[in-house]
Amino acid sequence: MSPAGTLSGDGLPRRVPGEAPALLARNVSKVFGTSRVLDDVTFSVMPAEVHGLLGANGSGKSTLIKTIAGLHAPEAGAELILYGEGVPFPMPAGGARANGISFVHQHLALMPSLTVLENMMLNDLATGNRWRINWRRAQTRIAEVFERFDIAIDPQARVADLPQADRALIAITRAFDEVETHAPPGRGILILDEPTPFLPKAGVDQLFALIRAVKANGVSVILVAHDIDEIREITDRATILRDGKLAGTVNSAETGHDGFIELIMGQKVQIFQGGKAPAVQRPLAARVRGLCAKAAQDVSFEIRQGEILGLTGLIGSGFDRVPEAMFGADPATRGQMVIGDEILDLTTLTPGAAMARGLAFLAADRLGRAGVGSLSVADNMSLPVLGKFRNALGIDWSAIEAHCRDLGALYDIRPNRPELRLSALSGGNAQKVLMAKWLQTKPRLLMLDEPTQGVDVGARQRLFQAMDAAAREGSAILIASTDPEQLAQLCHRVLVFSRGRIVRELTGDAVTKDAISKETLAIHPHTDDQVREAAE
């Protein structure tokens, strides 16, 4: 039985007899070209219910959310019913807001060039007839909203200057504020499309507290996520999509972790476990000396050929700044790196110079610094190896397309269509494209920042196998991540950061999820203010 109420004959949990779903999307299909991304999906959420939406990358989760939002038009025959009343489907511009529905989309829908305050007011500006704004009054109101939600962000800060975790909190807070402001009392639907990947543990706890608070006021919440443990913790029920079809709806608390995985993948998944043997006898791949860069302070370590080395810590502890500085993406203020017989000055290193020495870096921002969403999959994949496809007549584009299609098959990219824009793929499939982009170069040192955020459990195992295979062929791999389970599965060693410095090293059999979590949290119990100070 669901915590939301008693189950009726149609399987819906109702608080009172005859209660209509807050949202019922019936017989939803969506076709892009020749691909049927959604196939006759019926999806319902009850009032004051927290409902999870899960599925493998490319299963149709984000397409379903965007169709409900009015960004895509469903195929003929679909219906959208809110609180027992039919509404136009697709909803017209502004229709979602008028019906008390608020969204946090996967890519946050923020404008980096604008301030936090301007982003918080974007929807007011887009849907109102306001030609003059009292900015002082607006700032006071937004400051009050942030205080109520315990968000310590300057409303005048430019979004482009903020870390990804703060950007996620801005988008989430904006959505919470909208549903509270515009939905009728006791109603409202809040849809969160993968809001947690860039949030620290404290941020996830804060989000869940907000979800429970709005649920208590009668608001329904749809949470799209890949983290099964999060779904089991916060949701009442969960719906699983597989290959665009409804795989099932379950009571979250009564469904085990393995049960979710089988519904998501359609089969049991073999969890990858890498080798724990230390790499001390292998040749040196790189040595870093005295690196200082923003939150990182006097960082020194070495990594050997064939070794997978993890860097971790709390958000703001500086571990994620290290690979950026080693690649020249965000130059260090001090430090050197030894590659082979060469000593590189990290204050002047450029990405081009790093690539020339066999280094590769995949940033966490997959449609920003890591990839170009407006370019095709083939363009993104081929950038590091474009020279291999030159001939006397120029660039052999047909050979590039064939090469990228082969890579797509190897890394199970869905749909495997190199001509599609990168932004048209689900987050996890876009990540597979970008991983393939760098792994094909067989780099001397591959540096990855949160490489599996937003990637489903099955795709994770394939990416882990690909990284392990690259290490066995001699590549050194450096992974910056806040995911202890990922690090435990892959790494030979893990370096734990606090206040910008390496304070612990775990190696061999000590590299476990529990040990990494314990060391990360026990070293220095940062307050949110201390974490923010370190990040700045």
Side-chain angles (χ1 to χ4, degrees), residues 122-413:
L122 272 182
N123 289 333
D124 284 339
L125 294 169
T127 58
N129 296 315
R130 302 172 63 181
W131 60 273
R132 186 174 181 180
I133 297 172
N134 186 327
W135 288 105
R136 181 174 297 178
R137 183 180 301 168
Q139 177 160 334
T140 299
R141 193 185 78 80
I142 295 305
E144 290 173 352
V145 171
F146 281 1
E147 183 177 1
R148 181 157 49 90
F149 290 134
D150 197 24
I151 304 295
I153 299 175
D154 179 5
Q156 292 299 331
R158 196 170 66 112
V159 167
D161 298 329
L162 297 176
Q164 194 71 15
D166 280 357
R167 298 186 194 189
L169 286 174
I170 292 165
I172 291 165
T173 305
R174 181 175 65 186
F176 275 106
D177 180 52
E178 272 203 357
V179 80
E180 284 194 342
T181 303
H182 297 285
R187 289 193 175 190
I189 301 168
L190 179 63
I191 302 179
L192 307 173
D193 191 357
E194 297 193 38
T196 61
F198 290 104
L199 293 179
K201 180 63 170 65
V204 174
D205 292 341
Q206 186 176 16
L207 170 63
F208 286 2
L210 293 175
I211 288 175
R212 293 184 181 104
V214 298
K215 174 186 174 180
N217 289 331
V219 174
S220 302
V221 180
I222 300 172
L223 176 64
V224 185
H226 283 296
D227 192 309
I228 294 169
D229 292 334
E230 290 178 358
I231 289 290
R232 295 183 70 217
E233 176 183 349
I234 193 63
T235 65
D236 300 312
R237 294 188 301 150
T239 292
I240 296 90
L241 299 182
R242 186 167 64 244
D243 297 328
K245 298 180 180 180
L246 181 66
T249 297
V250 298
N251 292 332
S252 301
E254 298 172 5
T255 307
H257 192 279
D258 290 346
F260 271 109
I261 291 177
E262 287 194 44
L263 278 169
I264 292 167
M265 305 307 300
Q267 60 185 356
K268 291 186 176 181
V269 174
Q270 183 67 38
I271 301 300
F272 172 82
Q273 288 293 342
K276 300 296 184 184
V280 292
Q281 304 301 321
R282 300 171 186 172
L284 193 68
R287 177 183 289 121
V288 174
R289 299 171 175 169
L291 184 155
C292 294
K294 291 187 177 178
Q297 298 296 322
D298 197 26
V299 174
S300 297
F301 65 92
E302 60 185 36
I303 181 170
R304 296 184 175 273
Q305 293 177 16
E307 182 179 21
I308 303 178
L309 175 64
L311 307 180
T312 194
L314 297 178
I315 297 291
S317 62
F319 72 93
D320 54 336
R321 303 294 187 178
V322 173
E324 289 184 342
M326 291 173 63
F327 191 68
D330 193 357
T333 55
R334 184 167 64 85
Q336 296 178 327
M337 180 168 58
V338 179
I339 297 287
D341 297 327
E342 195 172 5
I343 299 176
L344 304 177
D345 183 351
L346 292 176
T347 66
T348 59
L349 183 66
T350 65
M355 288 177 61
R357 289 159 177 82
L359 276 65
F361 172 56
L362 179 57
D365 184 5
R366 65 172 63 99
L367 293 184
R369 304 178 69 184
V372 183
S374 59
L375 294 183
S376 70
V377 168
D379 289 339
N380 277 277
M381 270 189 177
S382 62
L383 280 173
V385 295
L386 203 56
K388 296 181 179 180
F389 296 94
R390 294 185 183 277
N391 56 34
L393 300 176
I395 296 176
D396 188 343
W397 293 107
S398 61
I400 287 178
E401 182 171 344
H403 172 71
C404 292
R405 199 175 298 278
D406 289 343
L407 281 178
L410 178 64
Y411 289 96
D412 193 31
I413 296 165

Side-chain angles (χ1 to χ4, degrees), residues 96-130:
R97 196 180 200 216
N99 283 288
I101 305 177
S102 187
F103 297 84
V104 175
H105 291 291
Q106 194 174 90
H107 303 302
L108 303 182
L110 299 176
M111 297 188 68
S113 60
L114 300 183
T115 66
V116 172
L117 174 61
E118 290 164 340
N119 272 279
M120 288 292 292
M121 296 188 65
L122 272 182
N123 289 333
D124 284 339
L125 294 169
T127 58
N129 296 315
R130 302 172 63 181

Side-chain angles (χ1 to χ4, degrees), residues 30 32 35-39 54-64 106 194 224 226 241-245 264-265 412-416 424-432 454-456 459 462:
K30 182 60 187 174
F32 292 109
S35 299
R36 182 169 286 271
V37 181
L38 291 174
D39 189 358
L54 299 89
N57 297 125
S59 62
K61 304 183 304 297
S62 290
T63 300
L64 177 59
Q106 194 174 90
E194 297 193 38
V224 185
H226 283 296
L241 299 182
R242 186 167 64 244
D243 297 328
K245 298 180 180 180
I264 292 167
M265 305 307 300
D412 193 31
I413 296 165
R414 302 182 185 184
N416 188 11
L425 300 186
S426 68
N429 280 294
Q431 188 72 354
K432 286 187 273 185
V455 177
D456 69 69
R462 287 188 287 273

